[in-house]
């Protein structure tokens, strides 16, 4: 099995939508605040494209023999002055997903390695991502790739 990591093309749109549909369904099973469905997946893809365009980010796919089996959305960002200056400029992983039937085959690690390559090429020393609590498979994969907890985001929804 040869994995090709490449820039997303217009012809990949439907396959990426299916991956985002799978991602949103998975996240909705983990958290009550997540929406799912084709409209949500399409909105995520449009948001990823806009943020990539606006920030100099990228949309990347993992391809096996012409079939898109993974997706990575990156954007460039800058943290506030509370972070040491040399760590402020970062790459943010907005979305990352691997088709369920291809998980645990190294595709996620290949996409994370691409995020690192992209960050280095952009002169960034930090990669940030968010992960839902209870998403143990993702947490394990991110830790294997060298990620560590930096902060915990909390939310209180007001009536």
């Amino acid at each position: 099995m040869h994995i090709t990591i490449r820039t997303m093309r217009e012809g990949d749109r439907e396959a990426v939508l299916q991956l985002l549909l799978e991602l949103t369904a998975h996240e909705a099973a983990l958290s009550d605040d997540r929406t799912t469905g084709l409209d949500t997946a399409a909105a995520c893809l449009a948001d990823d494209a806009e943020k990539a365009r606006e920030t100099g980010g990228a949309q990347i796919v993992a391809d096996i023999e012409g079939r898109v089996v993974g997706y990575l959305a990156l954007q460039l960002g800058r943290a506030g002055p509370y972070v040491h200056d040399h760590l402020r400029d970062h790459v943010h992983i907005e979305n990352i997903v691997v088709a369920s039937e291809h998980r645990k085959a190294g595709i996620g690690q290949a996409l994370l390695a691409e995020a690192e390559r992209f960050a280095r090429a952009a002169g960034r020393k930090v990669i940030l991502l968010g992960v839902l609590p209870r998403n143990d498979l993702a947490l394990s994969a991110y830790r294997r790739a060298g990620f560590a907890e930096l902060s915990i985001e909390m939310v209180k929804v007001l009536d």
Side-chain angles (χ1 to χ4, degrees):
M1 170 178 78
H2 177 72
I3 304 165
T4 301
I5 304 297
R6 61 173 173 77
T7 301
M8 181 182 162
R9 302 177 191 138
E10 184 56 37
D12 300 326
R13 184 176 175 5
E14 289 307 313
V16 171
L17 277 174
Q18 289 306 307
L19 289 169
L20 289 170
L21 187 61
E22 189 174 333
L23 175 64
T24 60
H26 175 70
E27 288 187 347
L30 295 174
S31 178
D32 295 344
D33 70 347
R34 301 298 166 132
T35 60
T36 190
L38 194 53
D39 288 344
T40 297
C44 286
L45 184 56
D47 187 59
D48 288 347
E50 180 179 343
K51 287 177 179 172
R53 248 188 334 273
E54 288 176 353
T55 70
Q59 291 174 278
I60 308 293
V61 296
D63 176 309
I64 297 176
E65 298 174 5
R67 182 168 175 245
V68 172
V69 297
Y71 171 70
L72 171 68
L74 304 171
Q75 61 181 293
L76 300 180
R78 183 162 175 82
Y82 48 84
V83 175
H84 289 291
D85 194 51
H86 70 284
L87 300 174
R88 289 179 71 189
D89 292 322
H90 61 268
V91 169
H92 183 259
I93 296 175
E94 186 68 23
N95 281 304
I96 183 170
V97 59
V98 174
S100 59
E101 67 271 17
H102 290 280
R103 292 190 186 139
K104 296 188 177 183
I107 296 166
Q109 294 299 306
L111 288 169
L112 291 170
E114 178 61 17
E116 185 173 329
R117 188 210 58 76
F118 182 88
R120 290 180 191 283
R124 308 296 167 109
K125 295 186 182 286
V126 175
I127 303 172
L128 299 176
L129 59 79
V131 60
L132 290 174
R134 299 185 359 231
N135 195 347
D136 297 329
L137 185 64
L139 284 164
S140 176
Y142 299 148
R143 288 181 180 128
R144 273 194 319 278
F147 286 80
E149 290 84 1
L150 177 65
S151 67
I152 298 171
E153 291 185 3
M154 297 180 75
V155 63
K156 178 178 180 179
V157 178
L158 305 175
D159 296 339

